Amino acid sequence: MKATKPAASLVGQIQARSGLSQAELARRAGLPRSVVNAYLRGNREPGADALARLAAAGGFGLELATREPPVDVDRASKILVQVLELAEALPFRPRPDLDYPSLAGRIAVGRVAS
C-alpha cells in the first residue's frame, strides 16, 4: 500500500472538511480537476500557491506557525553528558597488535604474481 504524502493528506482534509467535490474544489481554486486528483493521489506535489488556492477555495487559510523542536534540548544535553561520563568511566584495554600483512605488502605481492 502506498504511503500517504503530507500534501496529499492536506488536500484531502481540505476537500473533506469543505464538503466539496473534487470538481467544485478545483473550479473554485482555478485548477483543472485532473491536477487536484493527482494531488489527492500523491502523484503530484502542489506548490505553496496551489495549496493556498485550494485552502481558500475550501474556506480555509494557510499560515506559518512556530514549530517546537521534537526533542527537549536541555534534557537531551543532560543525557548526552551522562553517556559521555559513563564512557569515560569504562575500563580501557588497548587492543593487541594484529598480525595481518600491510596493505602495501599485499599489493606488491599481487603485482609480482600477475
Side-chain angles (χ1 to χ4, degrees):
M1 182 176 198
K2 189 176 180 181
T4 304
K5 296 182 179 179
S9 177
L10 180 59
V11 174
Q13 287 180 33
I14 291 169
Q15 182 191 3
R17 290 172 133 183
S18 68
L20 300 173
S21 66
Q22 276 186 34
E24 184 60 19
L25 182 64
R27 187 189 69 74
R28 290 183 183 192
L31 298 169
R33 190 197 61 76
S34 60
V35 171
V36 173
N37 186 279
Y39 292 157
L40 287 166
R41 292 177 171 266
N43 296 334
R44 190 169 171 181
E45 288 288 321
D49 181 57
L51 281 174
R53 289 168 58 182
L54 287 165
F60 305 102
L62 295 179
E63 64 181 54
L64 295 176
T66 304
R67 185 173 173 194
E68 294 296 320
V71 175
D72 179 8
V73 178
D74 292 331
R75 182 172 179 265
S77 64
K78 289 176 185 175
I79 291 171
L80 178 60
V81 167
Q82 290 173 347
V83 168
L84 293 174
E85 287 173 350
L86 176 63
E88 288 178 355
L90 293 173
F92 174 73
R93 288 179 278 172
R95 294 190 338 188
D97 290 333
L98 301 176
D99 289 333
Y100 292 112
S102 69
L103 181 61
R106 287 188 288 170
I107 292 173
V109 170
R111 287 186 191 155
V112 173
S114 304

